[in-house]
Amino acid sequence: MTDHPYVGLWVTADGHIRHELLPRGRYVEARGSRERAYTGRYTVTGTHIDYVDDTGFSADGDFVDADTLHHAGMVLTRRAEKENT
């Protein structure tokens, strides 16, 4: 499951939403100044991602190419490394 090309940091154009997909199927979502607004697990099947946060809320998205993720009406793009925004 963890052997996929999408591990890393994904960010909206305004930098407000940041998803860090960790190698072992965990993620951390930052929103604005809240660096750990949500945490949970994810699974990737092909180009589809399913999220389940630690409270049980679920969401999903699709990688449209190697650097673009469509998730919950948002477009996130890959960032080379974790940055503070």
Side-chain angles (χ1 to χ4, degrees), residues 3-16:
D3 188 24
H4 61 78
Y6 304 118
V7 167
L9 185 64
W10 298 83
V11 182
T12 56
D14 63 4
H16 185 73

Side-chain angles (χ1 to χ4, degrees), residues 11-18 32 74-77 79 85:
V11 182
T12 56
D14 63 4
H16 185 73
I17 306 294
R18 300 172 304 282
M74 298 178 284
V75 176
L76 293 93
T77 57
R79 289 282 169 90
T85 53

Side-chain angles (χ1 to χ4, degrees), residues 48-81:
H48 184 80
I49 185 169
D50 289 296
Y51 298 89
V52 179
D53 78 16
D54 291 337
T55 69
F57 178 79
S58 63
D60 66 352
D62 293 288
F63 297 94
V64 296
D65 60 38
D67 295 313
T68 310
L69 167 60
H70 288 184
H71 165 69
M74 298 178 284
V75 176
L76 293 93
T77 57
R78 183 188 299 271
R79 289 282 169 90
E81 59 185 63

Side-chain angles (χ1 to χ4, degrees), residues 35-51:
E35 285 301 317
R36 295 182 65 82
Y38 299 98
T39 59
R41 58 187 163 77
Y42 71 90
T43 56
V44 173
T45 306
T47 59
H48 184 80
I49 185 169
D50 289 296
Y51 298 89

